[in-house]
Amino acid sequence: MKTIGFIGLGAMGNPMAKNFVKNGYNVLVYDVSENAVEALTKEGAKGCDTVAELAESSEVIFASLPNGKIVESIMTGEAGVIASAKKGSCIVDLSSVAPETSVRMYELAKKKEIAYLDAPVSGGVAGAGAGTLTIMVGGDREAFEKISTELHCIGKNVFYIGKTGNGDAMKIVNNLMLGCNMAALAEALTLGEKCGLDLETMNRIVSISSGRSYAQEAKMEKFIMPGSFEGGFAVALQHKDLALALETAKKEKMPLPMTAAASQVYGLAEAMEYGRQDISVVTKMWEDLILAKSE
């Protein structure tokens, strides 16, 4: 079995790394949190003190990190992943970053004869734990085919999208839709409540009508109706992903008016200290701002 290196043991990275351990791989892990590393060593992984140590000993290196700036800091530099990785190894970035970030990392890795794939994921923490994520992969097809088995350890639906950056672009498109759908759902539910409708009635009817969406199906019964917003997909991450969409659209000279409006919704939610809660908390935000005032 290949030696897998895994960098970033957060809410998504931890369960993904565990799945490699469960599938019998020799797994090396690194995170800035010593507690996160220690938790994985108890599962059978081996902790590394630096990313250089991890990269030197891994055949495939996965990274699941919060943003592009952190990805670049981990990948570059004299003690970074690219400088330390072995010739012929493969780096797989599972993070959600701008396409141009992955293109820059790909070019640096290519000079050292190291493969680099952008492979952002969708499916949340539950999907990461179950190994059922959707993975959108950009980069050289040959590199993708060589690590297909490893990708299927963490994903049920694995798609090769094409050139470097295309995986990132696909993730941006997907999360743009999710963010806008959730923002629209929150407004609609608040309007309905203001008109005297209850959540259960709206959910039952919308579920079999043209207004239904993934946001409504995934968020209503699990988060919105019980009024519990812990876990799930954090507001701060959704806000970051919409910022990536707006940044990418600016480079492509394309206006995104709906995305810009949705981004403001999540920005307001962050300002109200809902940043770590599931994106469905924007329904509570509107209730606090609008319904409470009308009582």
Side-chain angles (χ1 to χ4, degrees):
M1 295 289 273
K2 295 174 183 174
T3 297
I4 300 290
F6 205 102
I7 301 169
L9 304 174
M12 293 291 288
N14 178 289
M16 286 192 279
K18 282 183 183 178
N19 279 328
F20 285 120
V21 174
K22 290 176 183 176
N23 279 277
Y25 287 91
N26 176 34
V27 181
L28 308 179
V29 295
Y30 172 84
D31 193 276
V32 292
S33 167
E34 293 181 4
N35 290 338
V37 172
E38 184 179 352
L40 260 293
T41 60
K42 291 178 180 177
E43 299 286 340
K46 178 185 176 183
C48 295
D49 293 327
T50 65
V51 294
E53 178 189 347
L54 180 147
E56 288 167 359
S57 303
S58 302
E59 295 166 80
V60 186
I61 302 156
F62 288 87
S64 179
L65 299 165
N67 56 56
K69 185 176 180 180
I70 294 175
V71 168
E72 292 205 41
S73 69
I74 288 289
M75 295 296 168
T76 61
E78 293 182 4
V81 172
I82 293 173
S84 306
K86 298 181 291 188
K87 176 182 175 181
S89 61
C90 181
I91 300 169
V92 186
D93 183 25
L94 303 165
S95 318
S96 296
V97 302
E100 58 266 26
T101 297
S102 290
V103 170
R104 287 196 297 272
M105 298 304 99
Y106 169 84
E107 294 295 341
L108 290 173
K110 187 176 182 180
K111 291 176 182 177
K112 289 205 63 187
E113 297 182 58
I114 297 166
Y116 192 97
L117 299 171
D118 51 290
V121 303
S122 180
V125 175
T132 58
L133 294 168
T134 296
I135 309 178
M136 301 151 262
V137 187
D140 295 338
R141 179 177 280 277
E142 183 180 359
F144 165 74
E145 291 176 349
K146 282 183 179 179
I147 66 156
S148 178
T149 300
E150 286 70 39
L151 290 171
H152 279 92
C153 285
I154 57 175
K156 180 180 179 181
N157 301 299
V158 180
F159 296 94
Y160 176 70
I161 308 296
K163 66 181 182 178
T164 301
N166 276 12
D168 294 323
M170 188 66 244
K171 178 63 183 293
I172 287 171
V173 168
N174 180 77
N175 281 27
L176 182 159
M177 292 181 184
L178 171 62
C180 289
N181 283 342
M182 187 63 245
L185 176 64
E187 287 188 14
L189 293 176
T190 306
L191 175 61
E193 287 188 276
K194 196 165 176 62
C195 292
L197 301 175
D198 62 79
L199 290 174
E200 185 176 349
T201 298
M202 288 188 283
N203 185 48
R204 187 171 68 252
I205 294 174
V206 171
S207 293
I208 56 172
S209 302
S210 57
R212 67 187 182 277
S213 66
Y214 169 82
Q216 175 257 327
E217 292 170 358
K219 306 299 184 181
M220 282 292 290
E221 293 185 6
K222 186 174 182 180
F223 296 102
I224 298 171
M225 292 171 71
S228 177
F229 303 99
E230 299 306 316
F233 184 42
V235 164
L237 293 177
Q238 179 66 82
H239 193 203
K240 180 209 75 172
D241 286 347
L242 291 182
L244 281 176
L246 292 168
E247 177 186 332
T248 301
K250 185 177 181 180
K251 289 181 172 61
E252 297 296 332
K253 296 181 173 58
M254 177 183 172
L256 295 180
M258 291 182 66
T259 307
S263 180
Q264 291 295 311
V265 172
Y266 297 106
L268 177 59
E270 277 203 272
M272 294 178 67
E273 300 185 352
Y274 292 134
R276 292 189 159 198
Q277 298 190 52
D278 183 73
I279 57 173
S280 56
V281 79
V282 294
T283 56
K284 182 179 185 304
M285 178 186 76
W286 288 131
E287 288 173 359
D288 291 345
L289 292 172
I290 295 173
L291 295 181
K293 290 184 178 180
S294 63
E295 293 178 353

